[in-house]
Amino acid sequence: MASENIIIINGNEFSFESGETILEVARRNNVDIPTLCHLKGATPTGACRVCVVEVEGARSLVASCAAPAANNMVVRTESGKVIEARRMVLQLLLSSGNHNCAVCGTGGSNWTEFQLHVQQMDNSSELCPVWGDCRLQDLAFRYQVTGENFDATQTPYLMETANPFIVRDFSRCIQCGRCVQACNEIQVNQAIHFGYRGAATKIIAAGDRPYINSDCVFCGECLQVCPVGALVEKDGRYNVRPWETQKVRTTCSYCGVGCQLYLHVKDNTVVKIDGVEDVAPNFGSLCVKGRFGYDFIHSPERLSSPLIKENGKFREVSWEEALDLVAARFGEIKAEHGSDSIGVFSSARITNEENYVAQKFTRAVLKTNNIDHCARL
Ligand code: SF4
Ligand code: SF4
Ligand code: SF4
Ligand code: FES
């Protein structure tokens, strides 16, 4: 008797849970199927058709991100037909909009002209800011295609820079819809949607207003999921290339949730932050502070030594002098008013270990139980 819930992918049998898509079964078993529009945790839309596979008995190629696995289904993920379809999809995407990276214009003769043209359009002195960190570019290399086979279509929409965090470059948008799903289904902010129709289609906020005049809360989820250079951090744009940075994993220090994030570090300076995907508690999502609030790290206004206020003015002092003064004053207050006249507030922005030390110091040294924490205030 045939076993239940078995799918055959590229000649190998895999079991699957009811409801799993072909893509999910493939990924779970390390079979690589490329995707562009697919966003884990969101409803599959089947918008880009990059993930198509051949299913025996099906009349046409099937979008594996949206098609459920079925018992005894026979799937081929890299057949000639599949590769031909993916190449076509990629060529069409590359020819729509401004994709001024190495994947366009391999004709040689028009390469320089093309680059100059797109740089002028972009009002920049360099190639696309995400060159080297772009899913479309990766796939173009993988399937060895360019946008040259089709007439290039340009977007009528101007770049939007009217906010401090995110540049929206509609000329590079491939309308995969990941940003819309991220905003609506993952963050549930419902700030952006598809607007207009046909060639005029655009991702819009608040009836086509800039992000800054919409319900956008600048969580940056859309930016993190955009597979191309259509949504880019404003600060790092053109200042940093992905291969120049080191990714350092850490825990966000803004609140007690403990979101996991990557600091992108160049020359000992944090130049970008994104969420670590697939790990708790945030699974890649961040809030505006965690994602964009890092300029304080290198601010020249940060205190670098203790200050003592004397006659209304601050004086820089050594740690020894500062701690001696604090210890002496605590001693005086305790002697005069008793231990319970002192209270200590610690912070959700420090580690558990530091909070432990704060309460130990309060109870064992100051001899009071007056200790609390900003997360409860
Ligand atoms: S978005 Fe990607 S494919 Fe388009 S120009 Fe930039 S790097 Fe190239
Ligand atoms: S930044 Fe956040 S709220 Fe704003 S459009 Fe992007 S996902 Fe939506
Ligand atoms: S902005 Fe990015 S994520 Fe949104 S539809 Fe365009 S390409 Fe896709
Ligand atoms: S990834 Fe499946 S259709 Fe886009």
PDB file of all heavy atoms in Angstrom, residues 23 27 33-39 44-52 62-66 176 178, ligand 4:
ATOM      1  N   LEU A  23       6.870  24.482  -1.793  1.00  0.00           N
ATOM      2  CA  LEU A  23       8.068  25.238  -1.405  1.00  0.00           C
ATOM      3  C   LEU A  23       8.492  24.899   0.027  1.00  0.00           C
ATOM      4  O   LEU A  23       9.673  24.706   0.319  1.00  0.00           O
ATOM      5  CB  LEU A  23       7.794  26.740  -1.524  1.00  0.00           C
ATOM      6  CG  LEU A  23       8.957  27.647  -1.136  1.00  0.00           C
ATOM      7  CD1 LEU A  23      10.059  27.591  -2.179  1.00  0.00           C
ATOM      8  CD2 LEU A  23       8.498  29.084  -0.939  1.00  0.00           C
ATOM      9  N   ARG A  27      12.049  23.378   1.014  1.00  0.00           N
ATOM     10  CA  ARG A  27      13.007  24.112   1.864  1.00  0.00           C
ATOM     11  C   ARG A  27      13.362  23.310   3.108  1.00  0.00           C
ATOM     12  O   ARG A  27      14.495  23.303   3.549  1.00  0.00           O
ATOM     13  CB  ARG A  27      12.446  25.478   2.242  1.00  0.00           C
ATOM     14  CG  ARG A  27      12.439  26.380   1.025  1.00  0.00           C
ATOM     15  CD  ARG A  27      12.472  27.839   1.382  1.00  0.00           C
ATOM     16  NE  ARG A  27      12.821  28.605   0.177  1.00  0.00           N
ATOM     17  CZ  ARG A  27      12.502  29.862  -0.028  1.00  0.00           C
ATOM     18  NH1 ARG A  27      11.842  30.526   0.876  1.00  0.00           N
ATOM     19  NH2 ARG A  27      12.876  30.480  -1.127  1.00  0.00           N
ATOM     20  N   ILE A  33      14.565  26.215  -4.080  1.00  0.00           N
ATOM     21  CA  ILE A  33      13.684  26.792  -5.106  1.00  0.00           C
ATOM     22  C   ILE A  33      13.761  28.301  -4.917  1.00  0.00           C
ATOM     23  O   ILE A  33      13.480  28.801  -3.824  1.00  0.00           O
ATOM     24  CB  ILE A  33      12.218  26.322  -4.948  1.00  0.00           C
ATOM     25  CG1 ILE A  33      12.125  24.805  -5.087  1.00  0.00           C
ATOM     26  CG2 ILE A  33      11.332  27.001  -5.987  1.00  0.00           C
ATOM     27  CD1 ILE A  33      10.711  24.246  -4.869  1.00  0.00           C
ATOM     28  N   PRO A  34      14.157  29.066  -5.938  1.00  0.00           N
ATOM     29  CA  PRO A  34      14.287  30.512  -5.756  1.00  0.00           C
ATOM     30  C   PRO A  34      12.920  31.176  -5.606  1.00  0.00           C
ATOM     31  O   PRO A  34      11.932  30.701  -6.179  1.00  0.00           O
ATOM     32  CB  PRO A  34      14.969  30.966  -7.047  1.00  0.00           C
ATOM     33  CG  PRO A  34      14.601  29.938  -8.054  1.00  0.00           C
ATOM     34  CD  PRO A  34      14.466  28.630  -7.310  1.00  0.00           C
ATOM     35  N   THR A  35      12.881  32.240  -4.837  1.00  0.00           N
ATOM     36  CA  THR A  35      11.633  33.006  -4.683  1.00  0.00           C
ATOM     37  C   THR A  35      11.954  34.491  -4.720  1.00  0.00           C
ATOM     38  O   THR A  35      13.084  34.897  -4.458  1.00  0.00           O
ATOM     39  CB  THR A  35      10.956  32.711  -3.320  1.00  0.00           C
ATOM     40  OG1 THR A  35      11.880  33.020  -2.277  1.00  0.00           O
ATOM     41  CG2 THR A  35      10.518  31.284  -3.200  1.00  0.00           C
ATOM     42  N   LEU A  36      10.950  35.272  -5.021  1.00  0.00           N
ATOM     43  CA  LEU A  36      11.102  36.735  -4.931  1.00  0.00           C
ATOM     44  C   LEU A  36       9.981  37.332  -4.093  1.00  0.00           C
ATOM     45  O   LEU A  36      10.218  38.043  -3.150  1.00  0.00           O
ATOM     46  CB  LEU A  36      11.077  37.354  -6.327  1.00  0.00           C
ATOM     47  CG  LEU A  36      12.408  37.769  -6.934  1.00  0.00           C
ATOM     48  CD1 LEU A  36      12.207  38.311  -8.339  1.00  0.00           C
ATOM     49  CD2 LEU A  36      13.116  38.802  -6.082  1.00  0.00           C
ATOM     50  N   CYS A  37       8.744  36.996  -4.436  1.00  0.00           N
ATOM     51  CA  CYS A  37       7.629  37.634  -3.719  1.00  0.00           C
ATOM     52  C   CYS A  37       7.258  36.894  -2.448  1.00  0.00           C
ATOM     53  O   CYS A  37       6.622  37.465  -1.563  1.00  0.00           O
ATOM     54  CB  CYS A  37       6.398  37.749  -4.626  1.00  0.00           C
ATOM     55  SG  CYS A  37       5.590  36.177  -4.999  1.00  0.00           S
ATOM     56  N   HIS A  38       7.661  35.654  -2.319  1.00  0.00           N
ATOM     57  CA  HIS A  38       7.256  34.854  -1.151  1.00  0.00           C
ATOM     58  C   HIS A  38       7.751  35.487   0.142  1.00  0.00           C
ATOM     59  O   HIS A  38       8.918  35.847   0.257  1.00  0.00           O
ATOM     60  CB  HIS A  38       7.826  33.446  -1.289  1.00  0.00           C
ATOM     61  CG  HIS A  38       7.636  32.612  -0.081  1.00  0.00           C
ATOM     62  ND1 HIS A  38       6.407  32.152   0.325  1.00  0.00           N
ATOM     63  CD2 HIS A  38       8.510  32.177   0.861  1.00  0.00           C
ATOM     64  CE1 HIS A  38       6.531  31.454   1.432  1.00  0.00           C
ATOM     65  NE2 HIS A  38       7.808  31.458   1.794  1.00  0.00           N
ATOM     66  N   LEU A  39       6.842  35.618   1.123  1.00  0.00           N
ATOM     67  CA  LEU A  39       7.221  36.170   2.429  1.00  0.00           C
ATOM     68  C   LEU A  39       6.727  35.212   3.498  1.00  0.00           C
ATOM     69  O   LEU A  39       5.525  35.000   3.655  1.00  0.00           O
ATOM     70  CB  LEU A  39       6.582  37.551   2.630  1.00  0.00           C
ATOM     71  CG  LEU A  39       6.916  38.255   3.936  1.00  0.00           C
ATOM     72  CD1 LEU A  39       8.404  38.565   4.034  1.00  0.00           C
ATOM     73  CD2 LEU A  39       6.109  39.548   4.067  1.00  0.00           C
ATOM     74  N   PRO A  44       0.479  33.459   0.669  1.00  0.00           N
ATOM     75  CA  PRO A  44       1.163  33.426  -0.633  1.00  0.00           C
ATOM     76  C   PRO A  44       0.341  34.147  -1.698  1.00  0.00           C
ATOM     77  O   PRO A  44      -0.885  34.013  -1.732  1.00  0.00           O
ATOM     78  CB  PRO A  44       1.261  31.931  -0.966  1.00  0.00           C
ATOM     79  CG  PRO A  44       0.836  31.201   0.249  1.00  0.00           C
ATOM     80  CD  PRO A  44       0.061  32.136   1.125  1.00  0.00           C
ATOM     81  N   THR A  45       1.006  34.915  -2.533  1.00  0.00           N
ATOM     82  CA  THR A  45       0.279  35.647  -3.568  1.00  0.00           C
ATOM     83  C   THR A  45       0.560  35.097  -4.969  1.00  0.00           C
ATOM     84  O   THR A  45      -0.196  35.355  -5.892  1.00  0.00           O
ATOM     85  CB  THR A  45       0.694  37.137  -3.563  1.00  0.00           C
ATOM     86  OG1 THR A  45       2.109  37.204  -3.791  1.00  0.00           O
ATOM     87  CG2 THR A  45       0.356  37.803  -2.246  1.00  0.00           C
ATOM     88  N   GLY A  46       1.654  34.390  -5.124  1.00  0.00           N
ATOM     89  CA  GLY A  46       2.000  33.869  -6.454  1.00  0.00           C
ATOM     90  C   GLY A  46       2.255  34.977  -7.445  1.00  0.00           C
ATOM     91  O   GLY A  46       2.022  34.827  -8.648  1.00  0.00           O
ATOM     92  N   ALA A  47       2.754  36.119  -6.980  1.00  0.00           N
ATOM     93  CA  ALA A  47       2.851  37.299  -7.844  1.00  0.00           C
ATOM     94  C   ALA A  47       4.005  37.251  -8.828  1.00  0.00           C
ATOM     95  O   ALA A  47       3.868  37.699  -9.961  1.00  0.00           O
ATOM     96  CB  ALA A  47       2.971  38.552  -6.976  1.00  0.00           C
ATOM     97  N   CYS A  48       5.148  36.730  -8.425  1.00  0.00           N
ATOM     98  CA  CYS A  48       6.326  36.904  -9.294  1.00  0.00           C
ATOM     99  C   CYS A  48       6.563  35.742 -10.252  1.00  0.00           C
ATOM    100  O   CYS A  48       7.173  35.915 -11.293  1.00  0.00           O
ATOM    101  CB  CYS A  48       7.569  37.144  -8.434  1.00  0.00           C
ATOM    102  SG  CYS A  48       8.192  35.660  -7.616  1.00  0.00           S
ATOM    103  N   ARG A  49       6.164  34.559  -9.913  1.00  0.00           N
ATOM    104  CA  ARG A  49       6.326  33.347 -10.730  1.00  0.00           C
ATOM    105  C   ARG A  49       7.781  32.888 -10.844  1.00  0.00           C
ATOM    106  O   ARG A  49       8.123  32.090 -11.711  1.00  0.00           O
ATOM    107  CB  ARG A  49       5.734  33.535 -12.138  1.00  0.00           C
ATOM    108  CG  ARG A  49       4.331  34.047 -12.180  1.00  0.00           C
ATOM    109  CD  ARG A  49       3.280  33.024 -11.889  1.00  0.00           C
ATOM    110  NE  ARG A  49       3.307  31.866 -12.766  1.00  0.00           N
ATOM    111  CZ  ARG A  49       2.622  30.755 -12.541  1.00  0.00           C
ATOM    112  NH1 ARG A  49       1.882  30.651 -11.452  1.00  0.00           N
ATOM    113  NH2 ARG A  49       2.687  29.726 -13.379  1.00  0.00           N
ATOM    114  N   VAL A  50       8.633  33.375  -9.971  1.00  0.00           N
ATOM    115  CA  VAL A  50      10.030  32.912 -10.010  1.00  0.00           C
ATOM    116  C   VAL A  50      10.143  31.506  -9.433  1.00  0.00           C
ATOM    117  O   VAL A  50      11.025  30.735  -9.786  1.00  0.00           O
ATOM    118  CB  VAL A  50      10.930  33.908  -9.216  1.00  0.00           C
ATOM    119  CG1 VAL A  50      12.249  33.283  -8.823  1.00  0.00           C
ATOM    120  CG2 VAL A  50      11.189  35.153 -10.061  1.00  0.00           C
ATOM    121  N   CYS A  51       9.205  31.155  -8.560  1.00  0.00           N
ATOM    122  CA  CYS A  51       9.306  29.869  -7.856  1.00  0.00           C
ATOM    123  C   CYS A  51       8.631  28.728  -8.613  1.00  0.00           C
ATOM    124  O   CYS A  51       8.390  27.675  -8.030  1.00  0.00           O
ATOM    125  CB  CYS A  51       8.676  30.006  -6.477  1.00  0.00           C
ATOM    126  SG  CYS A  51       6.883  30.190  -6.571  1.00  0.00           S
ATOM    127  N   VAL A  52       8.326  28.939  -9.893  1.00  0.00           N
ATOM    128  CA  VAL A  52       7.582  27.892 -10.612  1.00  0.00           C
ATOM    129  C   VAL A  52       8.347  26.576 -10.658  1.00  0.00           C
ATOM    130  O   VAL A  52       9.581  26.559 -10.707  1.00  0.00           O
ATOM    131  CB  VAL A  52       7.209  28.305 -12.063  1.00  0.00           C
ATOM    132  CG1 VAL A  52       6.093  29.327 -12.070  1.00  0.00           C
ATOM    133  CG2 VAL A  52       8.433  28.749 -12.833  1.00  0.00           C
ATOM    134  N   VAL A  62       3.697  25.414 -12.048  1.00  0.00           N
ATOM    135  CA  VAL A  62       2.971  25.709 -10.817  1.00  0.00           C
ATOM    136  C   VAL A  62       3.839  26.589  -9.914  1.00  0.00           C
ATOM    137  O   VAL A  62       5.037  26.344  -9.757  1.00  0.00           O
ATOM    138  CB  VAL A  62       2.659  24.366 -10.108  1.00  0.00           C
ATOM    139  CG1 VAL A  62       2.183  24.586  -8.686  1.00  0.00           C
ATOM    140  CG2 VAL A  62       1.652  23.557 -10.907  1.00  0.00           C
ATOM    141  N   ALA A  63       3.232  27.620  -9.314  1.00  0.00           N
ATOM    142  CA  ALA A  63       3.972  28.453  -8.352  1.00  0.00           C
ATOM    143  C   ALA A  63       4.100  27.681  -7.041  1.00  0.00           C
ATOM    144  O   ALA A  63       3.124  27.489  -6.322  1.00  0.00           O
ATOM    145  CB  ALA A  63       3.238  29.771  -8.120  1.00  0.00           C
ATOM    146  N   SER A  64       5.298  27.247  -6.738  1.00  0.00           N
ATOM    147  CA  SER A  64       5.475  26.319  -5.603  1.00  0.00           C
ATOM    148  C   SER A  64       5.188  26.979  -4.259  1.00  0.00           C
ATOM    149  O   SER A  64       4.898  26.303  -3.286  1.00  0.00           O
ATOM    150  CB  SER A  64       6.898  25.759  -5.606  1.00  0.00           C
ATOM    151  OG  SER A  64       7.821  26.807  -5.437  1.00  0.00           O
ATOM    152  N   CYS A  65       5.271  28.311  -4.190  1.00  0.00           N
ATOM    153  CA  CYS A  65       5.035  28.981  -2.901  1.00  0.00           C
ATOM    154  C   CYS A  65       3.559  28.974  -2.545  1.00  0.00           C
ATOM    155  O   CYS A  65       3.200  29.147  -1.385  1.00  0.00           O
ATOM    156  CB  CYS A  65       5.564  30.412  -2.933  1.00  0.00           C
ATOM    157  SG  CYS A  65       4.626  31.511  -4.002  1.00  0.00           S
ATOM    158  N   ALA A  66       2.700  28.798  -3.559  1.00  0.00           N
ATOM    159  CA  ALA A  66       1.260  28.877  -3.303  1.00  0.00           C
ATOM    160  C   ALA A  66       0.571  27.526  -3.454  1.00  0.00           C
ATOM    161  O   ALA A  66      -0.573  27.370  -3.024  1.00  0.00           O
ATOM    162  CB  ALA A  66       0.620  29.889  -4.256  1.00  0.00           C
ATOM    163  N   CYS A 176       6.606  43.243  -6.191  1.00  0.00           N
ATOM    164  CA  CYS A 176       6.466  41.898  -5.638  1.00  0.00           C
ATOM    165  C   CYS A 176       5.424  41.853  -4.537  1.00  0.00           C
ATOM    166  O   CYS A 176       4.881  40.798  -4.223  1.00  0.00           O
ATOM    167  CB  CYS A 176       7.813  41.414  -5.105  1.00  0.00           C
ATOM    168  SG  CYS A 176       8.404  42.345  -3.682  1.00  0.00           S
ATOM    169  N   ARG A 178       5.900  42.326  -1.321  1.00  0.00           N
ATOM    170  CA  ARG A 178       6.382  41.902   0.007  1.00  0.00           C
ATOM    171  C   ARG A 178       6.211  43.011   1.049  1.00  0.00           C
ATOM    172  O   ARG A 178       5.870  42.761   2.192  1.00  0.00           O
ATOM    173  CB  ARG A 178       7.868  41.499  -0.078  1.00  0.00           C
ATOM    174  CG  ARG A 178       8.077  40.083  -0.564  1.00  0.00           C
ATOM    175  CD  ARG A 178       9.543  39.844  -0.896  1.00  0.00           C
ATOM    176  NE  ARG A 178      10.401  39.813   0.266  1.00  0.00           N
ATOM    177  CZ  ARG A 178      10.786  38.717   0.904  1.00  0.00           C
ATOM    178  NH1 ARG A 178      10.393  37.537   0.470  1.00  0.00           N
ATOM    179  NH2 ARG A 178      11.567  38.773   1.947  1.00  0.00           N
TER     180      ARG A 178
HETATM  181  S1  FES B   4       7.858  33.376  -4.923  1.00  0.00           S
HETATM  182 FE1  FES B   4       6.249  32.154  -5.606  1.00  0.00          FE
HETATM  183  S2  FES B   4       5.238  33.398  -7.008  1.00  0.00           S
HETATM  184 FE2  FES B   4       6.786  34.689  -6.208  1.00  0.00          FE
END
